[in-house]
Amino acid sequence: MADINFDPNGPGIDNGRYFGLPFTAEESRLVLFPVAWDVTTSYREGTAEGPTAIQRASLQVDLYDPHHPQGWQQGIGTLPSDKSIHENSKKLRKTAQRVIEHWENNGAPDDDTLQANLAQINQGSAELNHIVYETSRRWIEAGKKVGIVGGDHSSPLGAIRAAAERYPGMGLLHIDAHADLRKAYEGFTYSHASIMYNVLHELPDVSTLVQVGIRDYCDDELHLASSTPRVVQFTDHDLSAEKFGGSSWYALCKQIISPLPEKVYISFDIDGLCPDLCPHTGTPVPGGLTYQEAVYLLVMLTQSGREIVGFDLCEVAPAPDAADEWDANVGARMLYKLCNLTLL
């Protein structure tokens, strides 16, 4: 039961839940599911530590939100962290590093050891997807909404699947520096760089994929996006050119929101923001949205009458120096905004 003595104006209590809130998952309208996984990270690891770092930083977040002042009272619950996910991530990450080194050293694609390592990682990733799917589906069927706290951007595929089954025809708003449309990047079927490719090819119930802020992508990804009617891209280059030419962010947000249906899932990779806000994320890229631009877009989405049916926040990585909590600080505040807008 919720703590009847909970003081929303008091200091955050480290009770293992995000924002120190007193609600169990059963008592909540929104359930947060931490997924500590970063097996296939191709540049810099650390996002598996994101869920815990965000939880600790979230204790400093004041609960008043001008976009939904009493939103937290509807219940934001936290599922216990699954230690087996984190342990499997650490184990398979070592194997993935050997694969990445093999490619960097121009190794042969038919090498037996390489193929064995890839099979192990792909199997482990498929098992992670199943866990996330089954957990998300169970809570969605119980009438809750689910938010995934990653982990790298491969983490939420199972949750997107569960949401799409519950809300067929839903749209996906994808905020990211990367298109994530690579097929089995580096041989990893469920790479963090492949999640949107997998969404398009495995989840036909997702009707529309709107990508915002992307600025690092390859020819194959651009071709796939331009040849797939379900994909609408608003690249960082194009958005910046429009702003420099005099377009307002309000007008651009209206364009971004327009292709989306009534039900929308948000997949938010923190590197969609300017890297000043997430310097230790796995693959930072210059450019990107400001914090306020991202919030304004999300608020306009809800004000348009669309409903956020689920979300993920991925790729937040704490700094090696424990005293530097900037990434987690920003992540915690973006997570709280996503929670409150989902609860509207």
Side-chain angles (χ1 to χ4, degrees), residues 315-337:
E315 301 284 352
V316 174
D321 179 0
D324 180 2
E325 61 156 12
W326 180 237
D327 297 74
N329 185 313
V330 172
R333 281 159 175 77
M334 186 56 71
L335 177 63
Y336 193 56
K337 185 63 66 176

Side-chain angles (χ1 to χ4, degrees), residues 179-250:
D180 291 349
L181 291 171
R182 294 176 180 265
K183 180 179 180 181
Y185 185 57
E186 296 178 320
F188 304 132
T189 302
Y190 295 107
S191 168
H192 71 107
S194 303
I195 184 169
M196 296 306 159
Y197 177 93
N198 292 325
V199 165
L200 292 177
H201 288 81
E202 296 184 12
L203 307 182
D205 284 331
V206 175
S207 65
T208 309
L209 170 62
V210 175
Q211 301 188 300
V212 179
I214 58 172
R215 51 200 187 273
D216 222 21
Y217 44 90
C218 69
D219 290 343
D220 285 348
E221 291 177 292
L222 186 61
H223 175 73
L224 176 60
S226 62
S227 62
T228 305
R230 293 162 69 193
V231 180
V232 182
Q233 290 187 329
F234 295 87
T235 68
D236 190 60
H237 170 80
D238 290 340
L239 290 172
S240 296
E242 289 286 341
K243 287 186 287 185
F244 296 154
S247 295
S248 69
W249 185 237
Y250 170 82

Side-chain angles (χ1 to χ4, degrees), residues 99 103 113-123 186-188:
V99 170
W103 293 127
T113 300
L114 170 70
Q115 292 303 318
N117 287 338
L118 285 173
Q120 182 183 9
I121 293 165
N122 290 335
Q123 177 62 31
E186 296 178 320
F188 304 132

Side-chain angles (χ1 to χ4, degrees), residues 33 79 131-144 146 162:
F33 180 11
L79 296 181
I131 292 170
V132 173
Y133 166 74
E134 288 293 343
T135 302
S136 300
R137 181 185 61 82
R138 184 167 65 252
W139 288 104
I140 290 171
E141 289 182 350
K144 318 293 185 182
V146 175

Side-chain angles (χ1 to χ4, degrees), residues 306-320:
R306 290 166 174 82
E307 178 187 1
I308 300 173
V309 299
F311 67 83
D312 60 73
L313 178 66
C314 295
E315 301 284 352
V316 174

